[in-house]
Amino acid sequence: MTDAERVGLWQQRLFEAEAGMTKYLVEQHAGAALREWIGVQSAIFADLPEPGVADPGAWQRVFFRAQALMERFVVGHYGHGELAGWARANAAVHGAVERDHGGGSADVIGRVRRQAELYGSRYRVVESSPEHSELLISHCSIWDYRERARSRGVPITLASPCEYCTKATSANIAARGYRPEFELLAEDGDRGCRWRASSPARESS
């Protein structure tokens, strides 16, 4: 991806997460913790990069800060069990804004691949077709980024990024009309995962 494409995806992911949180609060907890959520929103959108500057690193920091704030907000107010509800709300926004390139499940797994690329993860596309696509992430660099952020003093709520990522990615795939499957992997100190997206028609045939 080009720097402009990376910035665009970071911005889209930020929109999906923040708009999804607002949707989740309206549908599930209308009126609860309203003042606190407005404070979180203010922190999320503070000190944004200058418009027109294609700086993927700056937008990565913005997204990570926003994600960390929202994870802490959900868990602190409603508990770990509500991460799934937030993920489903995000997925509804994702389904509305993610472009359909006509590739079927290849597009769906392509979004997962591009997210992995944003962090510099090691990955391989195992299969890519309209009916069934599969991605193997042999080293997830989200873990690396989280630990560097933690060492800088950024508060990290979840013990593992997989606690939310698996819910969010599964919900995104389902929102696009495909059946998600994942497997968490750990070998020789590398943490990774395998993702599959299959069309309902393929599964029933």
Side-chain angles (χ1 to χ4, degrees):
M1 289 188 288
T2 66
D3 282 352
E5 289 170 334
R6 290 174 181 272
V7 167
L9 186 52
W10 283 123
Q11 291 174 339
Q12 182 176 330
R13 294 189 67 199
L14 176 65
F15 174 80
E16 290 171 357
E18 191 276 337
M21 177 66 80
T22 298
K23 174 179 171 63
Y24 163 77
L25 291 174
V26 168
E27 293 178 348
Q28 304 297 329
H29 301 283
L34 178 61
R35 180 172 298 178
E36 292 89 339
W37 171 235
I38 291 173
V40 171
Q41 285 179 308
S42 178
I44 287 171
F45 293 113
D47 303 321
L48 294 181
E50 289 295 324
V53 177
D55 185 347
W59 280 102
Q60 181 175 9
R61 290 188 291 274
V62 169
F63 174 82
F64 189 84
R65 177 183 66 193
Q67 183 72 22
L69 286 167
M70 287 186 279
E71 287 174 359
R72 185 169 59 184
F73 177 82
V74 171
V75 173
H77 285 84
Y78 311 115
H80 278 81
E82 288 300 297
L83 289 171
W86 174 34
R88 287 191 296 271
N90 288 1
V93 178
H94 164 78
V97 301
E98 178 70 14
R99 291 181 58 190
D100 185 346
H101 299 281
S105 75
D107 287 349
V108 176
I109 286 297
R111 166 62 186 261
V112 185
R113 175 192 59 77
R114 289 187 294 129
Q115 289 183 189
E117 187 174 336
L118 284 178
Y119 283 96
S121 299
R122 294 197 305 269
Y123 65 84
R124 176 170 61 91
V125 177
V126 178
E127 183 178 347
S128 181
S129 74
E131 294 79 25
H132 178 81
S133 296
E134 181 175 333
L135 177 72
L136 172 65
I137 299 175
S138 56
H139 178 84
C140 176
S141 291
I142 297 175
W143 283 86
D144 305 331
Y145 191 84
R146 276 169 51 94
E147 291 311 308
R148 290 196 297 270
R150 193 194 307 275
S151 70
R152 296 194 305 270
V154 177
I156 306 295
T157 302
L158 304 182
S160 158
C162 310
E163 289 183 53
Y164 180 72
C165 184
T166 54
K167 294 178 176 63
T169 305
S170 295
N172 282 355
I173 292 172
R176 304 284 298 280
Y178 293 84
R179 188 171 75 87
E181 293 180 274
F182 72 88
E183 177 186 1
L184 297 180
L185 308 171
E187 184 176 356
D188 297 330
D190 280 330
R191 295 182 175 94
C193 51
R194 184 187 299 269
W195 284 94
R196 302 179 184 90
S198 303
S199 70
R202 182 182 188 272
E203 294 301 312
S204 60
S205 62

